[in-house]
Amino acid sequence: MPLRAKNPLLLLAGMAAVTALALTGCAAGASSDAPVAAAAGSGEDAAAAGDIVAVASLSPASGSLSGGTTVTVAGHGYTAGSAVVSVSFGTEPAASFAVVDDGMLSAVTPAALDFAVGSVPVTVTLADGSQVTSPASAQYAYEIVTPVDSEMSYAFTYWKDYNLDAWSVFSDNDCGNFVNQAMVARGWEQSADWYSDYATTGDYSLSWIRGNEMDDYYASRPDTTRLTLEQRDQVKIGDVVMFDWDPANENGVDHTMIVSKVTKNADGTISIGLVGHTVDAQYRDLDTAITVENPGGTAHFWSIA
């Protein structure tokens, strides 16, 4: 029996149905109302999902200019792959840090660079070189919180651009004048034993500008403790150093500055940086000052409560 020719319209309809299935990617027998796979996320979401390490939030998100605040850093990638080797606030490495789990670590803030008020990003670096810097929404804000913050903010504002209107300058040696200004900014109150009206009346106490008298005044205060060079592990930012460039001549204190940086080195030694006038500096090295610059010199500190 001869076969009948197929209807051309039916053939075209069948071909269209097959083509439609191929284009939709549906399997044979799949329901026409089956769910469609979710589209890929935005570029920003995809990048975040692919990050090896990330910083999402900080708690607290602000703290002292002088550092020492323990901050919880939430994110991911802290244990899943390569180890965390450093945490930095702006350009400054954390004083210490500890990884809690893959999504959390804690870090102790360093002092703000140059004791500047403002926000800085937090950077987490892994041993394999992977690194992430926190977004604008997760930056750390340095603020003036403590008396030491006020002292150091003042010192770094006027270490080079002298506050002449308020305090004038002692042209021969302005180191004591500067240190004592910073102590006033810290909250110390002037008295009959310790004061300066030099900018207005020209009057001042010897304890304001002369090393030995200033040293005696600091010794008389209930909130100060004398430390030797051998006790430098107890020295902290905001403390005061008294130099004797030539101990053999027994003339006492020759120079004074403020401690601006305390660094514990890998070999266990401690380096101390200093801010002050006469030799205008932000981070003058203590040991260089008493060896290279003034061979045979010595120093002691006033630790301030």
Side-chain angles (χ1 to χ4, degrees), residues 3 29 35 39 56 62 67 87 103-104 139 149 155 168 212 238 247 256 269-270 283-284 286:
L3 296 174
S62 63
V87 179
M104 184 181 297
Q139 296 203 343
D149 294 341
S168 191
N212 290 332
T256 183
T269 60
I270 296 174
Y283 300 103
R284 186 181 185 185
L286 169 74

Side-chain angles (χ1 to χ4, degrees), residues 162 168-177 198 204 209-210 245 254-255 277-280:
Y162 290 18
S168 191
V169 60
F170 290 82
S171 57
D172 292 336
N173 194 331
D174 198 59
C175 63
N177 183 35
Y198 190 60
Y204 56 88
I209 65 156
R210 290 180 57 172
W245 299 138
D254 296 304
H255 187 54
H277 277 186
T278 306
V279 177
D280 297 346

Side-chain angles (χ1 to χ4, degrees), residues 75-287:
H76 71 258
Y78 303 146
T79 62
S82 184
V84 175
V85 294
S86 70
V87 179
S88 297
F89 290 75
T91 60
E92 303 303 290
S96 64
F97 71 89
V99 174
V100 178
D101 55 36
D102 193 68
M104 184 181 297
L105 61 82
S106 65
V108 178
T109 61
L113 179 65
D114 296 345
F115 298 92
V117 172
S119 296
V120 298
V122 174
T123 300
V124 176
T125 303
L126 305 184
D128 65 4
S130 301
Q131 188 178 76
V132 65
T133 298
S134 63
S137 60
Q139 296 203 343
Y140 185 77
Y142 279 106
E143 301 173 346
I144 294 176
V145 178
T146 69
V148 177
D149 294 341
S150 298
E151 173 193 352
M152 301 311 296
S153 177
Y154 181 91
F156 273 73
T157 298
Y158 295 109
W159 73 274
K160 186 176 181 181
D161 298 319
Y162 290 18
N163 190 1
L164 298 177
D165 290 342
W167 299 104
S168 191
V169 60
F170 290 82
S171 57
D172 292 336
N173 194 331
D174 198 59
C175 63
N177 183 35
F178 174 74
V179 168
N180 288 319
Q181 291 170 38
M183 293 301 108
V184 171
R186 181 178 178 133
W188 286 14
E189 295 183 359
Q190 296 183 72
S191 67
D193 296 324
W194 180 76
Y195 70 92
S196 177
D197 293 323
Y198 190 60
T200 54
T201 67
D203 194 19
Y204 56 88
S205 65
L206 293 181
S207 61
W208 191 269
I209 65 156
R210 290 180 57 172
N212 290 332
E213 287 81 355
M214 181 176 166
D215 198 40
D216 289 341
Y217 172 73
Y218 277 55
S220 73
R221 293 184 60 98
D223 55 355
T224 62
T225 302
R226 193 182 191 277
L227 300 175
T228 66
L229 281 174
E230 290 70 31
Q231 294 173 297
R232 66 171 67 195
D233 60 325
Q234 301 176 44
V235 171
K236 59 192 182 301
I237 288 172
D239 288 349
V240 172
V241 62
M242 300 288 187
F243 287 105
D244 184 351
W245 299 138
D246 185 10
N249 67 14
E250 299 182 350
N251 66 346
V253 175
D254 296 304
H255 187 54
T256 183
M257 300 182 79
I258 298 169
V259 174
S260 57
K261 196 175 188 71
V262 178
T263 304
K264 293 182 180 179
N265 302 312
D267 63 1
T269 60
I270 296 174
S271 299
I272 294 177
L274 307 164
V275 59
H277 277 186
T278 306
V279 177
D280 297 346
Q282 291 174 291
Y283 300 103
R284 186 181 185 185
D285 182 69
L286 169 74
D287 293 302

